[in-house]
Amino acid sequence: MRGGTVTRLPGRLLKRGFFEASPEQVAPRLLGKVLARVTAGGVLVGRIVETEAYLGPHCLPPDPAAHSYRGPTPRNSVLFGPAGHAYVYAIYGRYFCMNISCEVEGQAGCVLLRALEPVAGADEMAVNRGLGSGAASRQTTPATKTYRWGPRKVTSGPSRLCQALGLTRAAHDGLDLLDAKSALQVRDDGYAVDEVLVTPRIGINKMNEAVNWPLRFALAGHPCVSGAKNLTGKRIHLR
DNA sequence: AGGCCGATCCTCT
DNA sequence: GAGGATCGGCCTA
């Protein structure tokens, strides 16, 4: 079953060391792990099915697409702190995106969460998205390939997943994701990942070399990966 | 099914 | 003062 109300957190917390590494390493390894938000009424859980790596300014060459590219600012300060913390920022005046800080304290670098698969609390997620309760389990229309409903409409996209889990900068930026008392946690429930799709990042369009860097990772063939296109790339197996 | 466009406001220069 | 790590609606077909 999927989407029912749950109060128990699945699996176990990840270790700090998991995130004290290059985002390029962390991003693919994060696939299959779960993001859990503890609310007053229960727990919203989504499996991470799509990520992107953003490299810190200490890297050579540095990553011009990263928010940390020009060094610490009030907004991105979490990125320069310890690993395993949430960096939530507002974009286009209406949306939020969520990242997880990587590297040791003092170095920036992060992983952007681009898509989840609802695991628990799917109905509440659908309501948070402004869709009807039950939208996550409602069938889509395969004939036209247009996803009017279904889990894809609920948590597929970096700002959609924030809306689904009710994540905001005010409430969640800077939270430690590896603390059992935290309202937002990343956990491992033993889900085994097979094939990983690797492509360039989405929305990085400026004329620089970083446009083509293969830093987007997704569970190959998973229906909740964002975008109907952008699915071409090499496929790898994690070692 | 794919492309374009506007919304909307915060952040940094 | 410019420009977003986006989204959804509307257009063409």
Side-chain angles (χ1 to χ4, degrees):
Chain A
M1 71 160 258
R2 172 165 74 192
T5 301
V6 164
T7 54
R8 175 72 70 175
L9 292 165
R12 7 177 22 124
L13 283 168
L14 289 175
K15 300 277 193 288
R16 189 81 50 196
F18 182 94
F19 294 98
E20 290 175 333
S22 161
E24 198 169 357
Q25 300 276 310
V26 176
R29 292 177 186 166
L30 208 43
L31 296 174
K33 305 298 185 291
V34 295
L35 178 67
R37 187 200 159 198
V38 181
T39 71
V43 179
L44 302 177
V45 181
R47 189 172 312 286
I48 299 167
V49 302
E50 181 182 352
T51 58
E52 279 177 359
Y54 287 86
L55 310 182
H58 64 284
C59 293
L60 292 175
D63 180 0
H67 283 187
S68 59
Y69 181 58
R70 297 171 196 280
T73 67
R75 178 177 67 158
N76 69 17
S77 63
V78 172
L79 297 180
F80 291 86
H85 288 246
Y87 168 51
V88 181
Y89 69 91
I91 185 170
Y92 297 112
R94 329 164 57 108
Y95 304 111
F96 294 97
C97 291
M98 180 193 160
N99 301 254
I100 303 176
S101 63
C102 299
E103 309 278 17
V104 295
E105 184 161 9
Q107 290 187 338
C110 63
V111 173
L112 170 71
L113 303 187
R114 284 199 59 90
L116 305 177
E117 175 192 354
V119 170
D123 287 341
E124 187 175 341
M125 293 185 201
V127 171
N128 288 345
R129 287 268 298 122
L131 309 169
S133 176
S137 53
R138 186 164 164 182
Q139 282 299 322
T140 185
T141 56
T144 60
K145 293 181 183 173
T146 57
Y147 289 90
R148 298 184 56 82
W149 312 101
R152 185 190 178 97
K153 189 78 174 172
V154 178
T155 49
S156 183
S159 294
R160 286 175 172 180
L161 72 87
C162 285
Q163 200 171 35
L165 296 194
L167 305 184
T168 64
R169 181 181 178 194
H172 303 286
D173 184 49
L175 287 189
D176 185 357
L177 301 168
L178 310 179
D179 184 332
K181 301 183 300 297
S182 179
L184 196 58
Q185 302 178 24
V186 184
R187 304 177 69 96
D188 183 357
D189 67 350
Y191 183 92
V193 168
D194 183 22
E195 209 172 26
V196 172
L197 174 71
V198 187
T199 81
R201 295 173 293 186
I202 304 294
I204 309 300
N205 302 315
K206 285 188 177 165
M207 293 296 288
N208 59 51
E209 188 56 32
V211 168
N212 299 313
W213 291 355
L215 296 179
R216 172 175 175 246
F217 306 89
L219 290 185
H222 196 286
C224 289
V225 173
S226 72
K229 58 188 179 76
N230 305 315
L231 297 178
T232 58
K234 61 183 173 184
R235 299 192 171 208
I236 65 170
H237 292 268
L238 304 183
R239 47 172 248 115

